[in-house]
Structure formats: C-alpha cells, structure tokens
Amino acid sequence: MNANNMQSRGDLGSRGKRGGAASADHDQDSIDLGELLAILWRRKWLIAAFVVLGTTIATLAGTQVQKRYTATAALMLEPLNEQVVNLQQVVAGLTGDAPALATQVRLLTARDQIARVMDDMSLFEDPEFNPALDPANQPSNLDYAIGGPIEMVLEMLPENLVIAAGLAKEKLPVLATEAPILNRQAAVDRFARNFEVRLDDPSYVMLVSFTSPDPQKAADIANRVTQIYVEDQINSKSAATTKAASWLDDRLAALSSEVEAAERAVEKFRAENDIVSTRDVTLNDQQLADLNQQLIESRAELAAAQATLRLARDMRGGGAGLDTMAEVLNSPVIIALRGQETDLLRRENELKQQFGPRHPMIQQIATEKQQLYSKISAEVARIAANLSNQVEVIGTRVATLESELDKAKGTTVKDRDAEIKLRELERQADASRALYEQFLQRSKETREQQKLIEADAKILSVAAPPDRPSTAGPRLFGAVGFAGSLVVGSLLSLLLERRDQGLRSSRQIERLLGQQPLALVPRLDRLRRNQKPHQYLVAKPLSAYTEAIRSVLTTLKLSSVDNPPKVILVTSSLPQEGKSTFVTSLATFAARSQKKVILVDLDLRHPSVARELGRPVAAGIVEFMVGDRTLDEVVQHDPATGLDFLPVKRQTANPTDLLDSQKMRLLIETLRQTYDYVFLDCAPVMSVTDSRVAALLADRVVFCVRWSKTPKDAVSLSFDTLRQTNVPIGGIVVTQVDVKKHAQYGYGDVAQYYGKYQDYYVN
C-alpha cells in the first residue's frame, strides 16, 4: 500500500477521533431543541392516546366529585401595644410577634376547641360528621394511609393488593363500649379535614374557613367558630381579673399592718439611742468628717512648709544664696529692693559713659549699692527665719486636730452599732412600704381594667353562604388530566426514544462516530418477485436507490482526486445489515458506468456474493489460494451486471491466516492492476477478526449501518476497532432506510427529501 493511502488513513482516523470527541462533548453539554421536538412528533400518536385517555378519565372523575362550598370569616388580631395604664397588667394582652400569632392559629384548630364548637352546634348528631349516622357510609375493614380522592381509588382495588402495597392495614375489632368514643373522634377528624385557619400575611388578619356540601352550614360554622373564639377571650380575661382583684384586696390588708409596725419600730429606736440625723448623716459623723478634712489639709501644709525649710537650710549649708527660692522671689520687699537695684545700675552705667569711672557721683552710687545689698540680705534672712516659725505653728495645729479626731472617733464607734440596727429596721420598713405601694397600684389597675376588658381579636367580616363551589369541576379536572397526560406521554416518548439503540439520522451518526455518512440508502419495498436490489438498480437507473449508490461511489472517487481509491472493502458491525446487498449494488453501478469491476467475496465463513448475484459456483478463492485452480478459472463474469466476481466455494480451516498471507496481498495487487475497481465483501467486525486483517488490503473501507436496527454500542465498538487497527475508513453508509418513516421523523438530512422530490426520481 502506497504512502498516500497510509497518509489518508491516518488523517481519516485522526479526524474521526477528534470529531467523535467533539461531538460527544457537544452532545453531553447541550440539548438540541429541534431534535427534542422531532422525537415528540415521531411519537405523536402515543402522546395523543395518553392525552385522550388521561383527559377522559380526569373529566369523568370530575363529574363524580361532590360539590363542596367554602365559607370564610375574618378575624382581626389586635396586639395591645398601647394600654390605659403603663404598669404590668394582671392579664397580659396579645403580642404581635409571629410565634404569638401562630399560637392563636393552633388554638383555633386544636381538637378540644373543635369539639367544643361541635358540641355547641350539635354537630356530633349531624350525619355529615358522625360516620355512624351517615347512611352512605359503608364501614371498611381497612385503615387507609392516604385519604381524599386517592382513598376512593384505593377502595376500588382488591384489599389484599392494597395491604401488600403498604397503602392500608386491617382495622382492629372495636368494643361496644369504645364505639361512641371512636365515633366522636372520627367526627372531629371529619370536621378538622374541612376546617382551615390561616394568617393573611403580612397583616394581623386571621381567615377562618370551613368547607361543606351545604353552603349555609359552611357559613354558620365559620361564623360560630369566630364568635366562640372572641367570647372565650373575654370570659377568660374577666375571670382572671376578678380573681386577681380579690387576692390583691386580701393581701393589701395584711401589708398595711406590716408597714405601720415597721415604721413605729424605726422611730422608737431613734428615740432610745438619741440618733439625730441631717440628710441621713448624724452629727458625730459630720464632725468626724470635718476634723478629718482639716487634719488632711494641715498635714499637707506642714509637709510643704517643712520641705521649703529643708531646701533653705540645704542651700545655706552648701554656700549658695537663698535668692532663687520662690518665697524670696515672690516677696514684695525683695521685689522693691531689686527695682531700686536696677535703677542704681542704670544710673551708674550712664555716669560711667559721661564722666568716667572715677567721678565722685559714681563713688556715691557704689555706697548706695552696698547699702541696698545689705537690706536684701537682711530681708532674705528674715524670710528664712519666718519659715522655721511657720513650720512650728502648723505642727502645733496638726497635733491639736489629731487629738480632737481621736475623741470624735471614740464617740462615733458607739454610734455605729446603733446605726446598724437602725438601718436594718429602716430597710424592713422601706421594703414593706414599697411592697404595699406596689400592691396598692396593682389593685387600682385591676379594678380599672375590669371596666376595660376587651378581646384581643374582633370579627372583621362574617362568612356569607358561597354561591359557587370551591371544589374543582369537570373542566378543571379535564385540564389537569390533559396537562398531566401530556407530560406523561411526552416523558414516555422520550424514554422509549432513549431506549431505542438504533441509528436513524446523519446527525446521530455524526455525534456517535464523528463523521457524516456517505449516503442513506433507501429500502426497496416494491421489488418484483425474485428481483434483487442490484437488478432494480439496473432496471431503474434514475431511482432514489440508484442515486444513493451513485453518491457513495462519487464521494469515494473525490476523496482523493490525484489518487482515487481502487480497492474498496465493505463491512458492518453485525450480520444482516445489508452489506453484501450494498456492495453488490455498488459494484454493479460501477460496472454500468463503463468501468472494469470485480467483486471479491472475502467473507470466507458465510459467503454471499454468488448467492446475491444468483450465479452457480464451481470453484472459488480458496481453491486459488491453495493452488488447485488458476485465477482465470475462479474469476467469473455476470452478463446481467457486466462485472466480474470472485466467489467462495470451499471453506478453509483458518480464514484469518489466509487473508493475512502474502499470496492474498499479491492477488489484490494483481486485481488492482487489472481492474478499475476492486470491491471486497468482508465479514462483520463484531463477529470475527477477518475484517480487521482484510481491511489492510483496501484503499478505503466503507462501514455499513442498518437504519434503526444496529445498536449504537455495536456500531461504536466496531468503528473504534477499525480506527485502532489504523485502517483507511472511507465513510459510513446507512442501509435499508425506511424513507416514509424517516421523512415523518423530520431528521433534516438527504433521506428526508426522497419522498418530497419524487419527480426527480423514477422509482
């Protein structure tokens, strides 16, 4: 095989792999709406049957449903955010948070509340609620897990089947003494199934609804439920308030006596211990506090004076002057003397500049300066002596305060014990007084509240008897049945399409294998008796079948313009896919196109070429390969088609070795040199390995897939096997296409138009 063939083989294989991977990814990541609609259209009769059946059943079920009416009353809940009194109430009002509102809903739907309403309205004697009084109620031996319309359907089924499916269980025997209790519970259950309370979010409105076959009864029950609810709130608050007021009165009498006794005990203790207080502080405490404050201030003043005196002595002992001390600097006398000093220095400086340093006036100023300095020193000495005297005076005052403080402490210690006892008595009196005042306030609030008791809800609107039923009528049942059956039918159609493993369209083949098919060959349903498809091709050269064969041969020729394929092998995944019929027709068409053609049967296990051509066989390719006959002796000619063919007469023990032999390669090369086209009919890929070996002899391999029959897995596995063998795949051909069904399915490929353009074909 030449290099061009090998290159073509590699290119086709790589393109197939890339195309297959890309198409597979596209198939997984996207949904083709057109194909989905086409699937539904193909199964339109199945969907229509489901729609008709489902709509009819639903409509009939709707006519059997008893008409029921729902009446609704509205309650407005009123959270008491603003009260007449601001203190805590004896009976708290309804808060406006979600849990409180939900609690009111649960309160209205509680079984005890329902039973009270039923007792009030004598509903336990109503056959609508009491199953024992309902003549239409036939007791069942089963307790169904699902109620409503589904229970009606379950009652039609055999009891054993329903029990086995877990949808019901047998009822236990009921004692005669328990029957009234069970009937009462069943009546409450019936009431509860038709009773609904819901909040009209986000408002504080609560809707109370009841459903009954009688519209007037539905309205009466809804209204009575709301009335009992409001009455219960008022009665419960009134009872609680009355009870609280009585208890508060008794308690106030006892507290009044306790407060009076406690206050008398406080005053008596004050008088016995001579305790006089000024704004809760005794005289001894006030004196002790004053002395302590004075002592603290005097000690601070003493410490400051001692520090100043110590600093002055240290400066004098070190030979330094006291001129820099704050007491000296701030002295008025020193400040005046320093001012005089400044004047003398200024005058001295002026005279020196005017008369010189030896002038008599300058000598006089020096004498004055000396006298001034003596005054400053004397004043500094006086300030230092004054510091010592100040320290002694302050120290004496501190000692006096400490003595007086000790005396005051002695007196205060005696008062402390009395004050402790006094405070205890005062606390008892204050606690009794506060408790008494609190109870007195609560008592007044409670008495005022008795006049202002209101329910936390009021009836916003009463229920009126409805004029239209709330149950769904036949039209709504029919609409639901139509929609449901349409969905079920569509899903079933998609499921059936999913389970259908056959290939029908070019798009499906391209997604699966990564290649567009060469042609979709129509199935011939109008053959004359004993007429073969290749004979039909000869008789109808302008038919759609012939056009499909022509398309395959033309595409193979154009696959390599410079070096068109001459040896073409035809195979398939499984038997009975029409490969032998197709290759015979392809060879016949090539022979009728004035080409020299030979058809070689390489299906050594189940040969079919001679049978397809209807020719007797004396010897075949096996005889030639073992040397019993020459090539001219085994090659036969079919005058009807104009082609030569090499059949199989005798089988061989090892067909694969024969196909892989050097002599087989020489035979194919000899035929290549002799004929324009050499067509090879080979065994299916999935059956044996012969086709993989024989494919290496060909320039191109044509892979046949039977329309709607060949499983996708078999096609994909066989095609992958050929690609892994690195054989030159020329394309895929879909055989035995049902043109009418294909056109109805609307796949959008060439076979869809065979029926639409019949004027172009002579079938």
Side-chain angles (χ1 to χ4, degrees):
M1 192 173 294
N2 55 31
N4 290 334
N5 290 340
M6 293 298 294
Q7 183 178 3
S8 301
R9 179 189 307 168
D11 293 343
L12 287 169
S14 61
R15 284 200 301 270
K17 292 177 182 179
R18 290 194 298 270
S23 62
D25 293 341
H26 176 76
D27 189 27
Q28 293 176 358
D29 297 339
S30 63
I31 297 177
D32 192 335
L33 181 59
E35 183 175 355
L36 180 62
L37 295 177
I39 292 173
L40 298 178
W41 178 251
R42 289 197 294 273
R43 308 281 182 177
K44 57 182 176 296
W45 297 116
L46 174 64
I47 297 175
F50 263 93
V51 169
V52 172
L53 181 62
T55 304
T56 302
I57 294 175
T59 304
L60 292 176
T63 59
Q64 301 300 318
V65 174
Q66 183 186 28
K67 290 184 179 180
R68 302 178 68 82
Y69 299 84
T70 300
T72 302
L75 279 170
M76 186 176 70
L77 303 176
E78 296 181 316
L80 303 179
N81 295 325
E82 296 182 0
Q83 307 295 343
V84 176
V85 290
N86 293 326
L87 298 178
Q88 183 181 5
Q89 293 185 328
V90 176
V91 180
L94 177 66
T95 61
D97 56 349
L101 300 179
T103 301
Q104 298 305 309
V105 174
R106 295 296 297 271
L107 178 62
L108 268 172
T109 56
R111 293 182 65 87
D112 291 342
Q113 185 72 8
I114 291 175
R116 182 180 174 192
V117 173
M118 295 182 70
D119 283 327
D120 181 81
M121 301 184 69
S122 301
L123 297 180
F124 284 110
E125 288 75 31
D126 190 335
E128 180 181 344
F129 301 99
N130 194 334
L133 303 177
D134 188 0
N137 180 50
Q138 298 180 357
S140 174
N141 297 326
L142 300 181
D143 185 10
Y144 294 97
I146 304 175
I150 299 180
E151 182 177 345
M152 299 172 59
V153 176
L154 295 178
E155 290 177 350
M156 302 178 185
L157 301 177
E159 293 185 355
N160 294 334
L161 177 61
V162 177
I163 294 174
L167 300 175
K169 59 182 179 180
E170 293 185 2
K171 292 183 178 178
L172 297 176
V174 179
L175 299 177
T177 55
E178 296 179 351
I181 299 176
L182 295 178
N183 288 333
R184 185 178 177 88
Q185 293 178 354
V188 172
D189 292 337
R190 285 192 176 188
F191 187 100
R193 284 196 296 267
N194 298 291
F195 181 54
E196 181 185 14
V197 179
R198 67 184 186 278
L199 288 171
D200 187 16
D201 292 334
S203 65
Y204 291 110
V205 176
M206 189 162 55
L207 303 177
V208 180
S209 303
F210 192 82
T211 303
S212 173
D214 184 355
Q216 184 63 49
K217 182 186 294 185
D220 292 342
I221 293 176
N223 290 329
R224 188 53 185 155
V225 168
T226 58
Q227 292 170 1
I228 291 178
Y229 173 73
V230 174
E231 291 171 0
D232 285 347
Q233 284 196 340
I234 295 176
N235 293 336
S236 62
K237 284 191 175 184
S238 177
T241 305
T242 302
K243 182 179 179 180
S246 177
W247 181 81
L248 287 173
D249 290 341
D250 295 339
R251 186 61 179 151
L252 280 174
L255 289 175
S256 177
S257 300
E258 293 179 5
V259 170
E260 183 179 357
E263 290 179 348
R264 288 183 180 277
V266 170
E267 295 303 325
K268 181 180 179 181
F269 187 83
R270 285 181 180 276
E272 291 176 351
N273 291 273
D274 196 18
I275 298 176
V276 180
S277 61
T278 303
R279 294 182 181 180
D280 298 330
V281 180
T282 62
L283 296 177
N284 290 333
D285 289 340
Q286 184 65 40
Q287 182 182 6
L288 182 63
D290 293 342
L291 290 174
N292 191 45
Q293 181 65 30
Q294 293 177 15
L295 178 60
I296 292 172
E297 294 174 356
S298 298
R299 285 177 176 174
E301 186 179 357
L302 176 61
Q306 289 176 343
T308 303
L309 179 61
R310 189 180 305 110
L311 176 62
R313 290 175 178 175
D314 292 342
M315 293 176 65
R316 182 175 295 177
L322 302 179
D323 296 345
T324 59
M325 290 184 62
E327 287 75 4
V328 175
L329 294 176
N330 296 329
S331 173
V333 176
I334 296 297
I335 292 173
L337 294 175
R338 291 299 182 186
Q340 295 177 13
E341 179 184 12
T342 301
D343 291 340
L344 289 175
L345 292 175
R346 179 178 55 77
R347 288 171 54 196
E348 182 182 17
N349 187 38
E350 291 176 354
L351 292 174
K352 283 183 179 181
Q353 292 179 358
Q354 185 177 2
F355 300 107
R358 297 185 180 276
H359 193 275
M361 295 181 67
I362 293 176
Q363 296 296 326
Q364 183 180 353
I365 289 175
T367 302
E368 292 178 359
K369 284 170 57 179
Q370 187 65 35
Q371 294 175 354
L372 181 61
Y373 289 151
S374 298
K375 292 179 180 180
I376 290 174
S377 298
E379 181 62 21
V380 169
R382 187 190 65 77
I383 291 173
N386 189 37
L387 288 175
S388 178
N389 295 333
Q390 185 178 2
V391 168
E392 291 180 0
V393 172
I394 295 173
T396 302
R397 186 166 67 248
V398 168
T400 302
L401 289 173
E402 288 177 348
S403 176
E404 293 180 356
L405 184 62
D406 290 339
K407 294 179 181 179
K409 284 181 178 181
T411 305
T412 303
V413 169
K414 295 179 181 179
D415 294 340
R416 286 292 183 263
D417 295 336
E419 289 179 1
I420 292 174
K421 180 62 176 177
L422 177 62
R423 283 195 295 270
E424 181 180 356
L425 294 174
E426 288 177 343
R427 283 195 298 270
Q428 292 177 358
D430 292 341
S432 299
R433 189 182 304 108
L435 185 60
Y436 175 78
E437 291 174 353
Q438 182 180 4
F439 272 80
L440 182 60
Q441 181 67 24
R442 291 280 295 277
S443 177
K444 292 181 179 180
E445 292 175 3
T446 302
R447 295 188 181 280
E448 292 297 328
Q449 192 175 15
Q450 286 179 326
K451 305 175 184 178
L452 302 174
I453 289 179
E454 293 182 358
D456 294 329
K458 68 178 181 179
I459 299 176
L460 188 63
S461 64
V462 297
D467 54 356
R468 293 183 180 180
S470 58
T471 52
R475 290 185 179 180
L476 183 57
F477 270 84
V480 173
F482 174 83
S485 57
L486 179 62
V487 172
V488 172
S490 301
L491 293 177
L492 182 60
S493 300
L494 296 176
L495 179 61
L496 292 176
E497 188 75 15
R498 184 71 176 175
R499 290 178 59 85
D500 188 357
Q501 295 299 316
L503 295 169
R504 289 191 176 91
S505 69
S506 300
R507 185 177 301 174
Q508 290 176 341
I509 293 175
E510 184 179 9
R511 287 180 177 177
L512 182 66
L513 304 180
Q515 290 189 16
Q516 277 277 357
L518 300 177
L520 279 74
V521 181
R523 187 180 68 190
L524 299 177
D525 297 327
R526 297 182 180 181
L527 294 176
R528 297 192 302 272
R529 187 173 183 181
N530 296 326
Q531 186 182 28
K532 299 289 185 180
H534 69 278
Q535 296 171 344
Y536 177 86
L537 181 145
V538 174
K540 302 288 185 179
L542 298 179
S543 64
Y545 181 81
T546 305
E547 183 61 30
I549 300 299
R550 179 185 291 112
S551 174
V552 174
L553 187 60
T554 302
T555 304
L556 291 173
K557 288 170 58 178
L558 296 177
S559 63
S560 179
V561 179
D562 297 332
N563 188 18
K566 297 184 67 176
V567 182
I568 300 172
L569 182 141
V570 178
T571 185
S572 63
S573 301
L574 303 171
Q576 304 300 322
E577 294 196 57
K579 66 174 181 60
S580 298
T581 301
F582 168 74
V583 72
T584 303
S585 297
L586 187 62
T588 300
F589 180 83
R592 302 291 292 179
S593 301
Q594 307 302 319
K595 300 294 182 181
K596 191 175 182 180
V597 179
I598 185 171
L599 175 58
V600 181
D601 194 344
L602 292 185
D603 192 349
L604 303 179
R605 303 171 191 266
H606 296 283
S608 57
V609 170
R611 183 180 70 252
E612 192 72 24
L613 293 173
R615 303 289 296 181
V617 178
I621 190 172
V622 176
E623 287 80 3
F624 168 75
M625 294 296 294
V626 298
D628 292 346
R629 299 291 180 93
T630 64
L631 183 60
D632 293 336
E633 293 175 335
V634 296
V635 174
Q636 300 184 33
H637 181 72
D638 181 29
T641 59
L643 60 82
D644 294 341
F645 67 96
L646 182 53
V648 176
K649 173 64 177 178
R650 189 177 74 185
Q651 292 187 344
T652 178
N654 197 339
T656 305
D657 291 342
L658 189 146
L659 293 173
D660 196 30
S661 65
Q662 181 65 25
K663 190 171 184 178
M664 178 61 72
R665 286 190 284 272
L666 292 175
L667 171 62
I668 298 301
E669 191 61 31
T670 300
L671 297 177
R672 181 194 298 273
Q673 301 300 326
T674 306
Y675 293 91
D676 295 325
Y677 287 106
V678 179
F679 292 99
L680 308 178
D681 182 16
C682 194
V685 177
M686 294 289 291
S687 302
V688 290
T689 59
D690 298 357
S691 57
R692 282 174 272 179
V693 176
L696 299 174
L697 303 172
D699 297 336
R700 293 288 187 273
V701 174
V702 177
F703 189 76
C704 291
V705 177
R706 185 175 177 180
W707 185 84
S708 177
K709 296 296 183 181
T710 309
K712 295 179 183 178
D713 294 340
V715 174
S716 179
L717 181 59
S718 301
F719 202 74
D720 289 342
T721 300
L722 291 176
R723 284 196 300 208
Q724 292 171 3
T725 312
N726 201 24
V727 299
I729 301 175
I732 303 103
V733 173
V734 182
T735 62
Q736 304 185 42
V737 178
D738 189 331
V739 176
K740 291 184 179 180
K741 287 187 177 180
H742 191 90
Q744 292 174 355
Y745 290 168
Y747 286 121
D749 47 29
V750 65
Q752 180 180 352
Y753 303 99
Y754 286 157
K756 293 185 178 181
Y757 300 100
Q758 293 183 4
D759 295 342
Y760 287 88
Y761 306 119
V762 182
N763 294 323

